[in-house]
């Protein structure tokens, strides 16, 4: 989590990924728990190298598609559009992170297509493309009146794909094919966005507004090849967090796969991001696949939230979901929590969120939660000042002895050694000792502290662009050989290279996988 006015994450990174490094991650995982580690092991014993780098981009994650005209009954809907009718489907989003994608095969010189969310009374939030003036628009329909929130001239030549995307109350239009080139090497070209007008007319974060809207599409003079709708995916990932057991060991499923939560960037900054669920085969990290999304309901709102984690508490038969939400300086960023069962590892879920009663001064984010020697321990960022500059520092906290993770939390140690803004808190055991790892964008290093907040030697690992979080963990293969991995992200913008970016800061980044051998 970052305040947009206090940060610049632009820069350059040069990475070389070799085939030999990639193959070093091969070998299935034997079990969720690693073999006992030696007491001599310390973070400074490990030297990490980058083995994989990739960027998932999905307007709709393939596993999460809700509506598809290639399913039974879909052809009839395409024929209705060919006749000039609109189609309002039976499916609707559970939260205002949603997409509709049209495969436009043919479009007459004066034809048009629309796609978005529509109510039974005709109220709608949608994207429209008119071939005559070669113009794409974001529109809100209320009580029969069409209000154009934003529009721009864009020439698209069929065949092409056109996407409506809403993330919170930000709406965007994107194209693939059709001849339009925004100057970026990405599968979807941003055409335009609206990040303010829609909310003024129809606040989609409110259930009463969103739940009457269903996926919809239509056209005049148009022939469509396929239409899909479902929850929005991502234009990039950040804040990657391993799903762990309560004791900090990796949670590994029966097929040897790891699971992660991540912040999926949307059409803009932090408000437009949400929490996504991912599954990764450590033998082939590039096949990392989105298998679910988490949304949160609290204070009468439907929110995405992000920058959290999922912790498996096997003793109580639950998964603890943590995420951050809010804004700086008001009302402030806080950490929310909820819980569920195995179902939280996949599928789309709306989690009832409650604010964790953590001690902080102005705001808090980037939580890490571990059960250490029978007591719940926390690490998180405590914001101490908004003015004259944003200042924050990591803290270590503990829950009440014998209590649950959110009971009677108090600060145990603060960092009095460093004044730098550190974030991305991670608690990790090396040998028989626990350490706090954070990311320091000023020095571009991963800072290591013990549980008394005393500084140790830095983690020896490449530091990608932005503020990569030090998600470090061990795995043991079938031969009993231990491999230490780091899965993090960078701050490379989605529109890097574009002369006319439309999405703005926060739409990043790549997934970066590293490995280390125990020296």
């Amino acid at each position: 989590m970052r305040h947009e006015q206090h940060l610049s994450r632009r820069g350059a990174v040069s990475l070389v990924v070799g085939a030999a490094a990639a193959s070093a991650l091969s070998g299935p995982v034997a079990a969720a728990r690693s073999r006992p580690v030696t007491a001599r092991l310390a973070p400074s014993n490990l030297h990490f190298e980058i083995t994989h780098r990739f960027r998932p981009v999905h307007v709709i994650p393939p596993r999460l598609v809700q509506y598809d005209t290639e399913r039974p009954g879909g052809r009839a809907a395409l024929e209705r559009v060919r006749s000039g009718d609109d189609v309002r489907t039976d499916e609707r989003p559970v939260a205002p992170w949603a997409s509709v994608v049209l495969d436009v095969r043919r479009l007459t010189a004066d034809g048009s297509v629309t796609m978005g969310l529509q109510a039974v009374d005709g109220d709608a939030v949608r994207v429209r493309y008119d071939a005559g003036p070669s113009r794409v628009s974001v529109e809100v329909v209320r009580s029969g009146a069409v209000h154009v929130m934003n529009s721009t001239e864009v020439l698209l030549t069929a065949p092409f794909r056109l996407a409506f995307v809403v993330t919170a109350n930000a709406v965007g239009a994107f194209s693939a094919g059709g001849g339009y080139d925004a100057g970026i090497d990405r599968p979807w070209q941003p055409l335009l966005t609206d990040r303010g007008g829609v909310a003024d007319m129809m606040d989609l974060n409110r259930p009463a507004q969103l739940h009457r809207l269903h996926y919809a599409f239509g056209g005049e003079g148009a022939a469509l090849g396929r239409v899909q709708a479902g929850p929005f995916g991502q234009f990039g990932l950040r804040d990657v967090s391993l799903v762990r057991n309560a004791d900090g060991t990796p949670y590994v499923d029966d097929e040897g796969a790891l699971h992660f939560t991540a912040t999926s960037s949307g059409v803009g900054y932090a408000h437009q991001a949400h929490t996504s669920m991912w599954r990764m085969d450590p033998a082939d990290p590039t096949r990392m696949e989105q298998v679910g999304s988490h949304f949160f309901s609290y204070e009468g709102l439907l929110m995405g939230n992000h920058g959290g984690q999922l912790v498996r508490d096997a003793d109580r038969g639950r998964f603890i979901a943590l995420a951050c939400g809010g804004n700086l300086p008001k009302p402030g960023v806080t950490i929310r929590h909820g819980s569920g069962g195995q179902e939280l590892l996949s599928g789309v879920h709306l989690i009832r969120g409650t604010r964790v009663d953590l001690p902080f001064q102005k705001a808090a984010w980037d939580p890490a939660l571990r059960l250490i020697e029978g007591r719940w321990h926390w690490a998180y960022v405590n914001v101490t000042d908004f003015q004259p500059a944003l200042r924050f520092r990591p803290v270590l906290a503990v829950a009440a002895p014998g209590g649950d993770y959110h009971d009677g939390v108090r600060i145990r140690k603060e960092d009095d050694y460093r004044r730098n803004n550190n974030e991305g808190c991670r608690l990790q055991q090396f040998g028989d000792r626990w350490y706090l790892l954070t990311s320091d964008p000023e020095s571009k290093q991963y800072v290591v502290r013990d549980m008394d907040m005393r500084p140790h030697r830095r983690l020896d690992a490449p530091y990608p662009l932005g503020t990569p979080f030090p998600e470090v963990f061990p795995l043991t293969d079938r031969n009993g050989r231990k491999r230490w991995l780091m899965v993090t992200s960078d701050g490379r913008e989605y529109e890097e290279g574009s002369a006319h970016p439309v999405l703005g800061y926060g739409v990043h980044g790549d997934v970066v996988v590293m490995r280390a051998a125990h020296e």
Side-chain angles (χ1 to χ4, degrees):
M1 175 69 69
R2 280 288 202 172
H3 191 345
E4 187 172 7
Q5 297 178 353
H6 293 267
L7 180 66
S8 173
R9 294 188 175 181
R10 296 186 180 274
V13 175
S14 176
L15 300 174
V16 178
V17 181
S23 64
L25 283 177
S26 61
V29 179
R33 296 178 182 268
S34 302
R35 293 189 311 160
V37 292
T38 63
R40 294 191 304 274
L41 179 64
S44 58
N45 296 134
L46 303 174
H47 170 69
F48 285 89
E49 296 179 346
I50 293 174
T51 59
H52 300 79
R53 183 188 182 113
F54 53 93
R55 188 186 193 109
V57 175
H58 290 104
V59 172
I60 307 173
R63 277 181 174 256
L64 305 181
V65 174
Q66 287 179 265
Y67 176 85
D68 193 338
T69 53
E70 291 195 353
R71 296 171 182 170
R75 184 164 296 279
L78 297 179
E79 290 301 322
R80 287 176 57 188
V81 174
R82 186 186 293 269
S83 301
D85 291 339
D86 292 339
V87 175
R88 180 176 177 269
T89 73
D90 294 332
E91 287 75 25
R92 67 184 187 185
V94 302
W97 278 261
S99 302
V100 181
V101 178
L102 303 187
D103 178 7
V104 182
R105 296 287 178 85
R106 292 187 300 277
L107 191 61
T108 61
D110 58 350
S112 64
V113 290
T114 60
M115 72 224 73
L117 304 175
Q118 182 177 320
V120 67
D121 62 4
D123 286 0
V125 178
R126 68 191 188 190
V127 163
R128 178 185 183 93
Y129 179 72
D130 290 288
S134 299
R135 182 162 293 274
V136 63
S137 308
V138 173
E139 301 177 341
V140 173
V141 182
R142 292 300 302 264
S143 303
V146 178
H147 305 267
V148 178
M149 300 293 99
N150 196 6
S151 67
T152 189
E153 184 176 335
V154 175
L155 177 61
L156 296 172
T157 303
F160 61 88
R161 299 170 72 204
L162 193 64
F164 158 92
V165 171
V166 59
T167 57
N169 280 302
V171 177
F174 299 81
S175 67
Y180 180 77
D181 185 359
I184 60 175
D185 183 21
R186 300 293 187 203
W188 287 97
Q189 303 293 304
L191 304 180
L192 86 163
T193 64
D194 175 83
R195 283 178 278 177
V198 170
D200 293 338
M201 301 194 67
M202 192 181 298
D203 188 352
L204 302 180
N205 287 124
R206 299 192 176 278
Q209 290 283 8
L210 181 71
H211 288 167
R212 65 194 188 100
L213 301 175
H214 289 230
Y215 301 113
F217 57 96
E220 295 182 2
L224 304 182
R226 187 180 189 181
V227 179
Q228 290 183 304
F232 169 71
Q234 69 293 137
F235 294 121
L237 297 182
R238 56 184 186 267
D239 311 338
V240 181
S241 179
L242 177 70
V243 176
R244 296 173 182 258
N245 298 301
D247 64 0
T249 55
Y251 171 79
V252 184
D253 65 23
D254 293 339
E255 298 179 358
L258 304 171
H259 294 257
F260 295 85
T261 61
T263 297
S264 281
S265 59
V267 186
Y269 188 51
H271 284 49
Q272 287 81 48
H274 77 281
T275 298
S276 52
M277 284 297 311
W278 297 80
R279 188 174 186 271
M280 175 194 285
D281 179 356
D284 188 359
T286 60
R287 296 179 61 190
M288 183 173 173
E289 181 183 23
Q290 184 176 355
V291 294
S293 290
H294 289 175
F295 302 102
F296 292 81
S297 172
Y298 55 85
E299 298 174 2
L301 299 174
L302 304 171
M303 305 300 292
N305 288 9
H306 45 86
Q309 62 177 212
L310 190 65
V311 178
R312 177 179 179 252
D313 181 10
D315 290 342
R316 300 201 184 194
R318 64 182 177 181
F319 283 80
I320 303 165
L322 303 175
C324 306
N327 191 25
L328 296 179
K330 293 181 179 180
V333 177
T334 57
I335 299 169
R336 304 276 173 169
H337 71 113
S339 63
Q342 193 89 9
E343 74 279 356
L344 293 184
L345 291 173
S346 62
V348 179
H349 299 280
L350 184 62
I351 301 170
R352 178 173 295 181
T354 304
R355 177 172 161 173
V356 185
D357 189 14
L358 298 175
F360 60 84
Q361 294 185 43
K362 304 289 186 181
W365 61 71
D366 292 354
L369 178 64
R370 305 284 184 268
L371 186 61
I372 302 175
E373 296 181 352
R375 190 174 184 181
W376 289 101
H377 284 63
W378 289 83
Y380 57 91
V381 168
N382 179 20
V383 178
T384 58
D385 295 289
F386 291 143
Q387 298 295 336
L390 181 65
R391 304 297 299 174
F392 50 86
R393 63 179 61 181
V395 298
L396 288 170
V398 290
D404 207 352
Y405 65 94
H406 51 79
D407 293 336
V409 180
R410 64 173 180 84
I411 292 179
R412 177 178 173 271
K413 288 287 183 179
E414 295 190 63
D415 182 1
D416 296 325
Y417 296 92
R418 295 180 57 87
R419 301 180 63 87
N420 290 20
N421 290 359
N422 277 210
E423 53 188 333
C425 298
R426 296 293 186 264
L427 288 171
Q428 178 60 51
Q429 188 175 22
F430 296 85
D432 59 358
R433 297 182 180 181
W434 284 87
Y435 296 85
L436 170 64
L437 309 180
T438 60
S439 184
D440 180 9
E442 182 175 314
S443 66
K444 300 188 183 305
Q445 297 181 82
Y446 306 102
V447 178
V448 179
R449 305 169 179 84
D450 62 23
M451 298 300 279
D452 289 318
M453 281 292 190
R454 292 174 299 201
H456 286 246
R457 288 177 58 187
R458 310 298 176 84
L459 198 66
D460 183 6
Y463 195 92
L465 180 68
T467 310
F469 289 4
E471 187 59 88
V472 176
F473 54 93
L475 290 175
T476 303
D477 62 24
R478 290 177 178 173
N479 298 321
R481 186 176 182 182
K482 187 178 300 300
R483 296 290 189 185
W484 283 84
L485 304 183
M486 179 190 293
V487 181
T488 187
S489 61
D490 76 358
R492 196 156 65 99
E493 298 288 343
Y494 184 83
E495 294 176 287
E496 183 180 66
S498 174
H500 305 286
V502 301
L503 298 180
Y505 171 77
V507 186
H508 50 252
D510 294 1
V511 176
V512 181
V513 180
M514 309 181 201
R515 70 157 182 94
H518 181 193
E519 296 180 353

